[in-house]
Amino acid sequence: KNASVFLQELVEDLQLEEHEAEIVRVVDGDTIVVNTKDGVEERVRLLLIDTPESVHPTEPEQLFGKESSDYAKEILREGDVVELEVGESPRDRYGRLLAYVWIDGVNFNQLMIEKGYARVAYVYEPNTKYLEEFRKAEEKAKKQKNNIWSIDGYVTEKGFDMSVVND
């Protein structure tokens, strides 16, 4: 084969599959930026999870916000190829793509819950495909007092309550 044919095949091999995307950066524990197959840069909000704030325009950083974000950055590295399972209702009111992110066959959204870096949240039909698995993972993280669950009363129905955190 000549070099140009070889290079062409190499480029084709690098083409992303239909639901694949390349990590551009992790914004925080529940939001990432990816490049899609079409070369479009998309901001992706991870479905059914909420992590403490680490970079919010109006909110202060919350406990475990940085740890949650750092963990996400450790798992989802720039250039990694992930699979996006986009929600049945594909976008939120901010225009972000809503998705479950799979890396090496692992549901990253669920991993964040298992590690105690995220709570199950923003449960809106029809985007509830893995709700049962996520709730089980949350129960387990709660029992093990992982991270966000290590301080009684910190995780609430509405989010995270910094008032229970002793400085």
Side-chain angles (χ1 to χ4, degrees), residues 11-107:
V11 168
E12 283 165 9
D13 283 349
L14 292 174
Q15 295 296 314
L16 296 169
E17 294 294 320
E18 190 58 50
H19 301 291
E20 287 181 338
E22 188 180 334
I23 299 289
V24 174
R25 71 180 183 279
V26 168
V27 177
D28 59 20
D30 52 34
T31 310
I32 63 174
V33 177
V34 301
N35 264 325
T36 65
K37 181 178 186 285
D38 309 322
V40 177
E41 191 168 284
E42 287 273 11
R43 205 173 184 90
V44 179
R45 181 65 176 74
L46 277 61
L47 275 168
L48 295 180
I49 71 167
D50 180 34
T51 60
E53 294 299 344
S54 62
V55 288
H56 194 281
T58 57
E59 302 287 323
E61 185 183 314
Q62 295 175 319
L63 190 67
F64 297 109
K66 184 174 177 351
E67 291 85 343
S68 154
S69 182
D70 287 350
Y71 182 74
K73 287 173 184 163
E74 203 179 293
I75 304 295
L76 305 175
R77 296 180 183 274
E78 184 183 338
D80 280 354
V81 173
V82 294
E83 190 174 326
L84 296 182
E85 187 177 341
V86 177
E88 287 179 51
S89 177
R91 294 193 185 269
D92 68 6
R93 60 183 175 181
Y94 307 109
R96 297 177 298 189
L97 204 57
L98 298 170
Y100 301 101
V101 174
W102 294 84
I103 182 154
D104 299 328
V106 172
N107 184 317

Side-chain angles (χ1 to χ4, degrees), residues 121-140:
Y122 305 113
V123 178
Y124 303 114
E125 292 291 349
N127 291 341
T128 55
K129 182 172 179 182
Y130 298 106
L131 184 58
E132 202 174 305
E133 294 91 323
F134 286 14
R135 290 242 189 260
K136 282 181 188 152
E138 186 180 63
E139 274 311 306
K140 196 171 168 191

Side-chain angles (χ1 to χ4, degrees), residues 136-150:
K136 282 181 188 152
E138 186 180 63
E139 274 311 306
K140 196 171 168 191
K142 216 185 273 191
K143 278 193 187 106
Q144 295 170 346
K145 295 194 178 294
N146 291 347
N147 295 307
I148 61 172
W149 302 104
S150 62

Side-chain angles (χ1 to χ4, degrees), residues 106-121:
V106 172
N107 184 317
F108 179 73
N109 308 45
Q110 184 169 334
L111 186 63
M112 289 297 280
I113 297 167
E114 286 169 359
K115 296 289 181 187
Y117 288 124
R119 69 186 185 102
V120 175

